[in-house]
Amino acid sequence: MNVVDKPALETRGYVVRDSYFGAPYIDRDEWREKPYPHRNVHGGFADTDTRFTFYFPAEEEWGGRMYHPLEGAHAGHEEAFAGAMGALLGGLDMMVGLGGYMVESNSGHIGDDIDPRAGIDPSLYGYRASVESARFSKYVCKQVFGREPDYSYVWGGSGGGRRSPLCLEYCDGVYDGALPFMGGGNVEPHGTNSRVRSEQPFSFGSMFNVQRLLRGDKLDSVIDAMAPGGSGDPFVGLTQHEREELANLYRLGYPRGDEFMIAKPMGQIWLWCSIAGMLLEEDADYFANFWTQPGYIGHDRPEVVRDDLIDVKLPITRIITAQDLMGEEFAGAEYADSKAMIMLMASSSGAWDLPVAIEVKGLTGGYSTGCGVRIDSGAVAGRQLFCTRAVGDIWFCDGRADANILRFRGVEVGDSVHLDNHAFLAFCYAYRHHISEDPLNDFLRVDGQPIYPQHGVPVQSPLMGVPYSGQYEGKLLWVHHTHDASLWPPQGVIYKRAVEEAQGPEKARERFRLQWTQNAEHVPPMLLPTNPKRATTTWLIDYMPVIEQGLVDLATWVEQGIPPAETTYAFSDGKVTLPHSARERGGIQPVVEVTANGTVRTDVRVGEPVTLTVHAEAPEGAGTFTQAHWDLDASGAYSLMAEVAHGQTDLTLSTTTAFDKPGVYFATCRVRLNRHGDPSARRQVENLASARVVVT
């Protein structure tokens, strides 16, 4: 196929339904072989910052569907799923495999900035730009394939999970179904144009505070206590204030068993950097009162923050680009946490020359994470960024709007920066002073009266869209993760309540299902930092087969009326608890248990044999087991493969081993199942479990 031999695509006959948008235009129409052979159509709408890309496979590969993945975070890019994002979360090859062509939109804005003409209108960024782009794609599809798609689906995770329900709620028939995973936010009546109000960003402040207070050995002890075979008591050895802050973090919903991520903030610290300037403008009283008024830690107990304060001006001695991070100098493990997200950004946007970090010498003491970094002299004096992580004298930074797009462009060696973390330390306690009516916050009230002075629940960036309403036509399958340190389990129950209240229990059963994915974090394990004591892949799974299977099941629900499986769960004290048997739990993920000598912890001597046993169950209709692999030393290698007989839905396997060195070993078994029992097919849905072996 050669697009230049095809008639040019016509746009003049399309009539926009949303009057904000000017006429559509196409500025690229070409055949591309990567990331999968397709006709690539790029364009936008006149007089707006809205851009889109449509990906049409060969006609014989098209199954009559349209899939519209939504980018995470604040969005702002129309080709994310054609690059690294697609490779990680399922891009064009997955969409074609599911019978679809793919649509992408930048959600109405470029980068982390707003459309200057639209201003802070959250409806544009929440759904209107996406819906109009998808609607226009159908007009183009009719020219490419001779007909519009039979069925259309919108899906996405994180920020895409935040916005994909909005697209279904306000789509006017453009989509038939949605699959959000890891979404969240507040609820208001349908038709609202408010910005999202949520205390979740301030809950992240609680997480940062625990990391700040416990950094080092104390946090290691918490992680160990909550790991398999641990004591289960994370409070041992902590001071009164440390106990209080850790307990509050758990009450707010932090996922038990994922404590390692407290020390490795990723999306959470990005969110602080992206909203800090807005919070300082819109909630200035809080950040002033924290240090000056009774009822606030900064005023009442300055000793718990004093040693971590930073307020100093220093010269920049070096500027580091994304490309520089590829060099040998930055190959060490200490840089891995910062490099992962920067490499993803650079590979998606091509901005390898973007200056993302600076070297600043002369600082002693203080707590650098979240610290304000204000350019104080030179050509771009006044630009405000915040530190995502510092490694020695190297400070990685991000910000909002232009600061996100430009980072340190225009900055010169010798320019001065003002490092000031007063705002971040206040943010660490802001969860006490910004509580909603959600019962999750009842521990911060007595007889309905807040314990601490209140400042109201803050609004989020307009780029996050409008609140949910729970009112929609079509079908919606919500997937949430039990170990997500960026969108905690309490966020997973909000939309279910919204649908039931807006549509009633009967309609909710017709249109909504909720599935929990156990042992899944916010991003796939390959993007997560690795614990040197225990590989990340020995307690967290790759959840993308769950999402892909969910898209299959969503289409089956819409097109054939067969609803997807749902997960039974209990929710209390900020914690989601899943039943121990697959029959009771349901869903599509296997249930797994591992023991060592019959228990979750065994103590043995060097060379003494240990019998490891895994028991796994497949939920009804989820398929049969295809693979089982053991990892005996927590390296993540999974080098020992167990024999799995075809057609099994109940699996018990044992192996005997011995350890030749003293230490603590987490012996892990990862099992996979497939809907059709095919070990070579896509959608190998996995789960895992570990037992602790203490060797002396």
Side-chain angles (χ1 to χ4, degrees):
M1 176 180 176
N2 187 343
V3 170
V4 297
D5 295 333
K6 298 285 184 179
L9 295 171
E10 181 270 318
T11 63
R12 288 179 295 177
Y14 180 79
V15 179
V16 295
R17 188 165 296 177
D18 187 325
S19 60
Y20 174 76
F21 298 97
Y25 63 85
I26 292 172
D27 55 18
R28 184 177 70 227
D29 179 8
E30 62 188 26
W31 184 258
R32 291 187 172 182
E33 293 296 326
K34 295 181 179 180
Y36 187 91
H38 71 284
R39 183 173 181 174
N40 186 280
V41 178
H42 179 275
F45 292 95
D47 304 319
T48 76
D49 276 353
T50 299
R51 306 288 185 267
F52 52 73
T53 307
F54 308 148
Y55 307 79
F56 298 102
E59 186 168 1
E60 60 271 16
E61 292 190 278
W62 185 51
R65 299 186 181 102
M66 179 264 277
Y67 285 97
H68 186 171
L70 299 186
E71 186 185 1
H74 285 163
H77 310 90
E78 68 273 21
E79 296 180 294
F81 280 81
M85 187 77 69
L88 291 169
L89 298 180
L92 183 57
D93 61 334
M94 185 176 87
M95 301 291 89
V96 176
L98 297 178
Y101 73 86
M102 188 169 77
V103 173
E104 281 197 86
S105 163
N106 67 350
S107 293
H109 62 100
I110 298 171
D112 209 38
D113 207 352
I114 59 174
D115 181 328
R117 179 168 155 244
I120 60 171
D121 184 345
S123 66
L124 174 68
Y125 314 117
Y127 61 89
R128 286 166 52 205
S130 295
V131 170
E132 196 68 48
S133 296
R135 184 170 174 265
F136 178 61
S137 84
K138 295 186 178 185
Y139 184 83
V140 176
C141 176
K142 189 172 183 179
Q143 298 178 61
V144 174
F145 292 138
R147 62 186 176 96
E148 293 189 356
D150 303 312
Y151 300 98
S152 299
Y153 303 99
V154 60
W155 65 283
S158 189
R162 159 98 274 281
R163 291 181 290 274
S164 50
L166 301 178
C167 288
L168 189 61
E169 289 181 359
Y170 295 99
C171 72
D172 196 19
V174 171
Y175 307 105
D176 300 289
L179 191 154
F181 59 105
M182 310 175 302
N186 66 316
V187 180
E188 290 187 10
H190 194 269
T192 181
N193 202 38
S194 303
R195 285 160 63 184
V196 175
R197 287 189 177 272
S198 173
E199 64 266 55
Q200 178 69 35
F202 283 154
S203 297
F204 291 158
S206 172
M207 172 184 157
F208 294 136
N209 208 29
V210 169
Q211 197 279 334
R212 178 184 72 88
L213 291 168
L214 305 188
R215 61 189 187 268
D217 292 342
K218 287 186 176 181
L219 188 54
D220 286 343
S221 295
V222 171
I223 295 167
D224 184 76
M226 301 301 282
S231 69
D233 182 358
F235 301 103
V236 173
L238 304 186
T239 67
Q240 183 273 337
H241 186 62
E242 292 165 349
R243 288 169 182 256
E244 182 180 51
E245 288 304 298
L246 179 58
N248 289 351
L249 177 64
Y250 284 135
R251 291 187 183 111
L252 290 168
Y254 189 83
R256 283 67 158 173
D258 202 26
E259 286 78 9
F260 176 71
M261 292 304 297
I262 294 173
K264 304 290 183 178
M266 298 180 67
Q268 308 93 331
I269 194 62
W270 163 82
L271 185 62
W272 159 249
C273 294
S274 70
I275 66 172
M278 179 186 71
L279 292 175
L280 287 166
E281 294 168 5
E282 299 181 0
D283 200 11
D285 286 350
Y286 169 72
F287 290 94
N289 291 358
F290 180 82
W291 300 99
T292 60
Q293 300 296 319
Y296 301 82
I297 285 286
H299 175 272
D300 297 346
R301 298 192 61 187
E303 72 278 3
V304 301
V305 292
R306 183 185 298 124
D307 290 345
D308 286 330
L309 271 171
I310 297 174
D311 190 351
V312 64
K313 295 182 180 180
L314 293 169
I316 296 172
T317 55
R318 186 181 174 193
I319 299 169
I320 296 99
T321 68
Q323 183 65 51
D324 293 335
L325 297 179
M326 299 293 288
E328 186 66 28
E329 177 186 353
F330 299 99
E334 66 272 25
Y335 295 104
D337 298 353
S338 297
K339 284 174 61 176
M341 300 309 292
I342 291 172
M343 294 300 100
L344 180 61
M345 175 275 299
S347 60
S348 297
S349 65
W352 291 100
D353 65 336
L354 183 67
V356 294
I358 55 173
E359 181 185 65
V360 180
K361 295 183 176 181
L363 180 69
T364 58
Y367 187 74
S368 56
T369 299
C371 183
V373 179
R374 186 177 185 273
I375 311 302
D376 212 43
S377 67
V380 297
R383 184 181 300 164
Q384 179 69 62
L385 297 100
F386 294 85
C387 178
T388 58
R389 184 176 178 84
V391 181
D393 295 330
I394 306 297
W395 288 53
F396 296 89
C397 299
D398 203 345
R400 68 164 174 162
D402 282 350
N404 164 261
I405 297 170
L406 300 174
R407 307 288 174 97
F408 292 104
R409 287 199 193 279
V411 176
E412 301 287 345
V413 171
D415 288 349
S416 175
V417 288
H418 185 187
L419 309 178
D420 182 356
N421 71 346
H422 280 84
F424 183 76
L425 292 175
F427 179 68
C428 286
Y429 293 92
Y431 72 91
R432 300 180 176 204
H433 304 274
H434 300 82
I435 63 175
S436 72
E437 296 303 313
D438 193 312
L440 192 71
N441 296 301
D442 283 348
F443 75 96
L444 295 168
R445 285 185 278 259
V446 175
D447 297 333
Q449 181 66 33
I451 300 169
Y452 305 104
Q454 292 299 298
H455 292 263
V457 180
V459 294
Q460 292 195 37
S461 166
L463 303 180
M464 282 297 187
V466 301
Y468 297 133
S469 74
Q471 186 65 54
Y472 59 86
E473 301 289 334
K475 311 292 188 185
L476 189 145
L477 172 59
W478 185 289
V479 179
H480 213 85
H481 301 165
T482 60
H483 284 60
D484 189 341
S486 293
L487 276 165
W488 303 349
Q491 295 292 309
V493 302
I494 291 173
Y495 200 76
K496 182 176 188 291
R497 292 200 302 260
V499 176
E500 291 170 345
E501 291 174 6
Q503 304 194 43
E506 186 176 337
K507 283 292 185 185
R509 288 297 299 163
E510 291 178 9
R511 298 175 177 173
F512 179 84
R513 290 291 188 275
L514 169 62
Q515 289 179 357
W516 289 96
T517 307
Q518 190 181 33
N519 300 318
E521 242 287 358
H522 198 69
V523 295
M526 68 180 70
L527 283 182
L528 293 168
T530 295
N531 184 343
K533 300 177 182 178
R534 184 183 177 198
T536 309
T537 51
T538 63
W539 83 86
L540 294 171
I541 66 160
D542 177 8
Y543 59 76
M544 272 314 299
V546 172
I547 303 306
E548 185 174 349
Q549 185 63 57
L551 289 169
V552 173
D553 293 346
L554 175 65
T556 301
W557 191 15
V558 168
E559 298 165 24
Q560 301 178 35
I562 303 172
E566 60 186 336
T567 308
T568 301
Y569 68 98
F571 177 70
S572 64
D573 208 19
K575 179 182 180 182
V576 166
T577 303
L578 304 180
H580 291 294
S581 76
R583 183 180 61 82
E584 294 177 287
R585 185 182 300 184
I588 65 170
Q589 189 183 22
V591 176
V592 190
E593 178 186 44
V594 169
T595 58
N597 290 342
T599 63
V600 73
R601 170 181 171 143
T602 189
D603 292 72
V604 298
R605 293 184 178 277
V606 169
E608 186 177 340
V610 179
T611 299
L612 303 170
T613 302
V614 61
H615 179 65
E617 299 172 354
E620 183 179 356
T624 58
F625 289 107
T626 57
Q627 301 173 30
H629 289 86
W630 288 97
D631 183 287
L632 304 183
D633 58 2
S635 67
Y638 286 101
S639 55
L640 180 60
M641 183 176 69
E643 191 73 27
V644 177
H646 180 72
Q648 288 185 280
T649 59
D650 193 291
L651 190 68
T652 300
L653 301 167
S654 293
T655 187
T656 300
T657 189
F659 297 88
D660 58 6
K661 293 181 181 178
V664 177
Y665 298 86
F666 290 95
T668 303
C669 189
R670 182 180 64 200
V671 303
R672 291 172 172 156
L673 58 75
N674 173 262
R675 186 66 54 88
H676 306 291
D678 183 352
S680 63
R682 294 179 66 109
R683 301 190 288 279
Q684 301 289 327
V685 176
E686 65 184 41
N687 204 353
L688 51 75
S690 303
R692 182 187 301 232
V693 181
V694 181
V695 183
T696 57

